[in-house]
Amino acid sequence: MDKELNSSLIFRKFADIYQEKKELEWEKKKLINYINRFARDCKQLQHDLKKGKEHKEQLKTEEDKFQTNLNIFQEQHKTLEKKKNEVTNPKELHSIDKELDYLGEQINKKEEALLSLQEKKDILNDNIQNKEEKKKEMKDQSDVFMEYYKKIDDLTEKIREKSAMLEKLLDNFSLPVQHSLKEVIDKNPPDPFTSVQDYSFCRLCGVKLPDSLTRAVKTFPSYHEENPLLRCQGCGRIIIDVKSTEPDS
């Protein structure tokens, strides 16, 4: 055999490069999520501004309607007041007073409605102004996000380089091991590797390994020449970075 297959150092190197690749992918994912969240916020802000301005127009239409009715009632009230000064018939005066009371109630209602509408408009105007300021702030951040896009491109290239390095390392393993590691590269699980603690326990899940697996772990380079990768029976992770000597007595 021209070179040693399945050495612990190569296993360790493969796992370290894989971890570096995952960290780059995680950093890229964070940037993409940040950009997507920013895009959603921008879209929501545009939607809120549009709805706010539409609501403002509705309030203006409603205000004009109340103001028109108020003007009519005030004019009618003024006309009746003038007429009352010219009437001497008690029955007719009583009728005019009832009409004046009704108009007075309507005038008060319309004035209260206008005050309420004005309060709503003030709150809405403040809200719209705040969102316009937020829109300007988000627009000012556009340069930052251009840098994020550049970082994503750089990370994509680094991830591609790490993947190529992993593929190249496969030549250092026997065929059964290559098959298992190729699956790791292709399926890209988040945490595929573990190691042995105290020669008998999985370092990550803590499961006690059977004696047969422990014996294979101690002689794993030769074992892997004809067998697939050793895996923890508890979590299913691939066992790496194992020791080939007996523990200290």
Side-chain angles (χ1 to χ4, degrees):
M1 201 177 288
D2 294 335
K3 58 184 177 181
E4 180 186 4
L5 296 178
N6 310 323
S7 74
S8 59
L9 290 178
I10 300 298
F11 267 94
R12 181 75 262 170
K13 184 176 181 180
F14 186 96
D16 288 345
I17 294 174
Y18 184 88
Q19 182 60 34
E20 291 168 1
K21 174 174 168 285
K22 296 303 295 186
E23 290 172 357
L24 292 170
E25 289 171 341
W26 176 245
E27 186 177 352
K28 176 181 174 180
K29 184 178 180 180
K30 284 198 299 183
L31 289 176
I32 291 174
N33 288 341
Y34 191 30
I35 290 172
N36 290 339
R37 185 166 59 250
F38 182 80
R40 289 195 299 269
D41 290 345
C42 288
K43 185 176 181 180
Q44 185 64 49
L45 183 62
Q46 287 292 103
H47 174 78
D48 292 344
L49 276 172
K50 180 182 178 182
K51 289 297 181 182
K53 291 176 181 178
E54 289 175 354
H55 189 199
K56 185 177 179 180
E57 288 298 318
Q58 292 172 356
L59 290 178
K60 181 65 170 61
T61 300
E62 195 173 352
E63 182 182 44
D64 292 343
K65 179 181 176 181
F66 278 115
Q67 187 62 57
T68 298
N69 290 335
L70 176 62
N71 293 340
I72 291 173
F73 286 131
Q74 287 177 333
E75 188 62 31
Q76 290 177 345
H77 194 280
K78 182 179 178 181
T79 300
L80 274 179
E81 284 281 8
K82 184 177 180 181
K83 182 179 179 181
K84 180 179 178 181
N85 294 330
E86 299 172 355
V87 174
T88 57
N89 186 297
K91 186 175 181 179
E92 190 174 355
L93 280 172
H94 179 70
S95 178
I96 290 174
D97 284 338
K98 285 183 65 177
E99 184 69 18
L100 286 173
D101 289 343
Y102 169 77
L103 291 172
E105 290 176 1
Q106 294 303 312
I107 289 171
N108 288 336
K109 288 180 180 179
K110 298 299 180 287
E111 289 176 341
E112 289 174 0
L114 284 170
L115 285 174
S116 177
L117 282 173
Q118 186 58 52
E119 290 176 359
K120 291 180 181 178
K121 283 176 60 181
D122 290 342
I123 293 172
L124 184 59
N125 284 333
D126 289 342
N127 186 266
I128 290 175
Q129 183 178 352
N130 289 337
K131 290 188 183 302
E132 289 288 0
E133 292 174 357
K134 181 65 176 177
K135 181 180 178 181
K136 185 177 182 301
E137 291 175 4
M138 295 177 83
K139 186 176 180 180
D140 292 341
Q141 295 178 26
S142 58
D143 290 342
V144 174
F145 282 89
M146 289 304 296
E147 289 299 318
Y148 286 171
Y149 281 113
K150 292 178 182 178
K151 286 183 180 179
I152 288 173
D153 288 340
D154 291 341
L155 288 169
T156 300
E157 181 59 31
K158 290 179 180 178
I159 292 168
R160 190 180 294 114
E161 290 173 359
K162 295 295 181 183
S163 296
M165 292 170 68
L166 292 174
E167 292 281 353
K168 188 175 181 180
L169 281 176
L170 291 179
D171 292 338
N172 295 278
F173 301 102
S174 59
L175 290 178
V177 175
Q178 284 188 34
H179 177 73
S180 296
L181 292 180
K182 188 68 168 63
E183 283 190 344
V184 169
I185 295 173
D186 293 341
K187 294 181 179 179
N188 201 21
D191 188 10
F193 299 107
T194 185
S195 58
V196 177
Q197 185 174 19
D198 297 331
Y199 293 87
S200 57
F201 294 94
C202 172
R203 186 174 292 276
L204 290 182
C205 74
V207 162
K208 176 74 168 64
L209 303 176
D211 292 341
S212 59
L213 183 57
T214 303
R215 286 194 297 271
V217 162
K218 293 177 181 179
T219 59
F220 74 96
S222 58
Y223 172 88
H224 287 310
E225 289 180 13
E226 302 296 338
N227 296 280
L229 285 170
L230 297 169
R231 291 180 181 272
C232 171
Q233 295 182 341
C235 61
R237 292 182 175 93
I238 297 168
I239 300 173
I240 60 166
D241 197 23
V242 293
K243 305 296 184 183
S244 57
T245 58
E246 293 294 333
D248 296 334
S249 56

